[in-house]
C-alpha cells in the first residue's frame, strides 16, 4: 500500500537557519505530493504541492521538488523565522477511485529567536 | 480560513455515549473526507463521501458511521465511545481531480472520560 516516511523530530533551529525536512514515499504509479503545516491549536493548511516528477512546489519561501528516481519530496527553506514553528506533514494522494491523503507522522519544528 | 467549517470545536463526553460531529465543505466541493488525528496513530483517513455517496473507507471502526446530506454537509457519528476514541477529528473537502488539494477544517477535539 501507499506510505510516507518523514524524518522524526523534533527539529530545533535558530532564526535564519536553513531547514530541510526529509520525506520519502512508497506508492504505485504517479502520486501527487503535498506538504501541510499545522500551527498550534489549528487545522492543517496546505503549504505546497507537486503533481508530477520534477515539479517544484513553492510557497512562503518553502520549496520541495518531486523526485521520482529517489521517491522523495524533501521540504526546504533558506531562512526560517520564529513564525515557522509548527508541525509539518508530508502526504501523498494516489488518485484512482478516491483521493484520500496518506500522511507521514509529522515533524515538529521549533525556531528560536 | 479554509472555508471548511466544523462543529463543535470541543466535545467532552463519557464512555459508552454517542456523539455527532458536523462538517460543511467549501462552496462547490463535492467530496468530504474525515480524518482522525491521535498521538499514537497520527493522521488516519476514516471515510470519504462524494456528492452524497460513500466512495471510500479507511481505518474506520464499525462503531463509527458517516453520511453526506443533499446540501453536501456531512456528519460523523461515533457511538459506544471508548477512552481510545479521544482524538482530533478533521473534515476536509476537495474538488476531486488528480493533484487537487484538500482543504481542512479546524477540527473537533473529542475527549472521552
Amino acid at each position: 500500500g501507499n506510505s510516507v516516511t518523514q524524518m522524526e523530530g523534533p527539529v530545533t533551529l535558530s532564526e535564519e537557519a536553513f531547514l530541510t525536512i526529509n520525506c520519502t514515499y512508497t506508492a504505485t504509479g504517479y502520486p501527487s505530493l503535498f506538504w501541510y503545516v499545522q500551527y498550534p491549536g489549528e487545522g492543517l493548511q496546505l503549504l505546497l504541492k507537486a503533481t508530477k516528477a520534477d515539479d517544484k512546489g513553492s510557497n512562503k519561501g518553502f520549496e520541495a521538488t518531486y523526485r521520482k528516481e529517489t521517491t522523495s519530496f524533501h521540504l526546504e527553506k533558506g531562512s526560517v523565522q520564529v513564525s515557522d514553528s509548527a508541525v509539518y506533514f508530508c502526504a501523498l494522494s494516489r488518485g484512482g477511485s478516491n483521493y484520500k491523503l496518506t500522511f507521514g507522522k509529522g515533524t515538529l519544528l521549533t525556531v528560536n529567536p | 480560513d479554509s472555508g471548511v467549517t466544523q462543529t463543535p470545536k470541543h466535545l467532552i463526553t463519557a464512555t459508552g455515549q454517542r456523539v455527532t460531529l458536523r462538517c460543511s465543505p467549501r462552496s462547490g466541493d463535492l467530496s468530504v473526507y474525515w480524518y482522525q488525528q491521535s498521538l499514537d496513530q497520527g493522521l488516519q483517513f476514516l471515510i470519504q463521501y462524494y456528492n452524497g455517496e460513500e466512495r471510500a473507507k479507511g481505518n474506520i471502526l464499525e462503531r463509527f458511521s458517516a453520511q453526506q446530506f443533499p446540501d453536501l454537509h456531512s456528519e460523523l457519528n461515533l457511538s459506544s465511545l471508548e477512552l481510545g476514541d479521544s482524538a482530533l477529528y478533521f473534515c476536509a473537502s476537495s474538488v476531486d481531480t488528480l493533484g487537487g488539494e484538500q482543504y481542512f477544517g479546524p477540527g473537533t477535539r473529542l475527549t472521552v472520560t
Side-chain angles (χ1 to χ4, degrees):
Chain A
N2 300 334
S3 67
V4 175
T5 302
Q6 63 182 104
M7 64 186 284
E8 294 198 16
V11 174
T12 303
L13 296 173
S14 298
E15 207 164 24
E16 299 184 3
F18 184 85
L19 169 71
T20 299
I21 301 178
N22 291 336
C23 171
T24 58
Y25 67 90
T26 301
T28 55
Y30 300 89
S32 294
L33 302 173
F34 305 87
W35 278 99
Y36 280 84
V37 58
Q38 185 177 29
Y39 297 102
E42 298 185 13
L44 281 80
Q45 299 176 27
L46 177 69
L47 182 58
L48 52 85
K49 73 173 188 180
T51 58
K52 61 184 187 296
D54 300 325
D55 265 3
K56 178 185 281 188
S58 61
N59 186 26
K60 300 181 182 178
F62 291 90
E63 292 183 340
T65 301
Y66 189 142
R67 301 283 187 205
K68 185 153 178 67
E69 63 275 14
T70 54
T71 61
S72 65
F73 193 55
H74 305 320
L75 182 68
E76 297 182 336
K77 186 175 185 182
S79 176
V80 293
Q81 305 299 313
V82 172
S83 58
D84 294 327
S85 299
V87 180
Y88 292 81
F89 292 93
C90 185
L92 70 81
S93 170
R94 174 63 187 90
S97 61
N98 78 78
Y99 297 90
K100 69 168 187 175
L101 290 168
T102 299
F103 287 92
K105 291 189 181 300
T107 302
L108 173 63
L109 170 66
T110 301
V111 180
N112 295 318
Chain B
D1 184 353
S2 68
V4 179
T5 60
Q6 288 187 250
T7 57
K9 194 171 175 64
H10 300 280
L11 203 46
I12 301 174
T13 190
T15 54
Q17 296 298 304
R18 173 189 169 94
V19 297
T20 297
L21 314 183
R22 183 187 169 106
C23 167
S24 292
R26 289 189 323 154
S27 176
D29 286 354
L30 299 180
S31 257
V32 169
Y33 298 77
W34 287 97
Y35 294 86
Q36 179 194 59
Q37 184 179 36
S38 61
L39 280 174
D40 52 345
Q41 298 289 327
L43 269 160
Q44 299 276 319
F45 166 70
L46 295 179
I47 196 164
Q48 179 203 1
Y49 275 80
Y50 178 82
N51 202 19
E53 303 217 346
E54 182 186 303
R55 176 171 274 189
K57 266 186 174 179
N59 301 322
I60 188 165
L61 300 171
E62 284 192 12
R63 300 183 285 108
F64 296 1
S65 65
Q67 53 185 326
Q68 187 179 27
F69 295 86
D71 66 353
L72 299 178
H73 91 271
S74 177
E75 293 181 356
L76 179 68
N77 301 295
L78 315 176
S79 61
S80 303
L81 285 167
E82 302 175 0
L83 296 178
D85 298 327
S86 296
L88 261 172
Y89 291 84
F90 287 108
C91 161
S93 75
S94 75
V95 174
D96 264 357
T97 58
L98 190 62
E101 55 266 35
Q102 292 181 22
Y103 293 88
F104 282 75
T108 294
R109 180 171 291 283
L110 173 66
T111 303
V112 183
T113 62

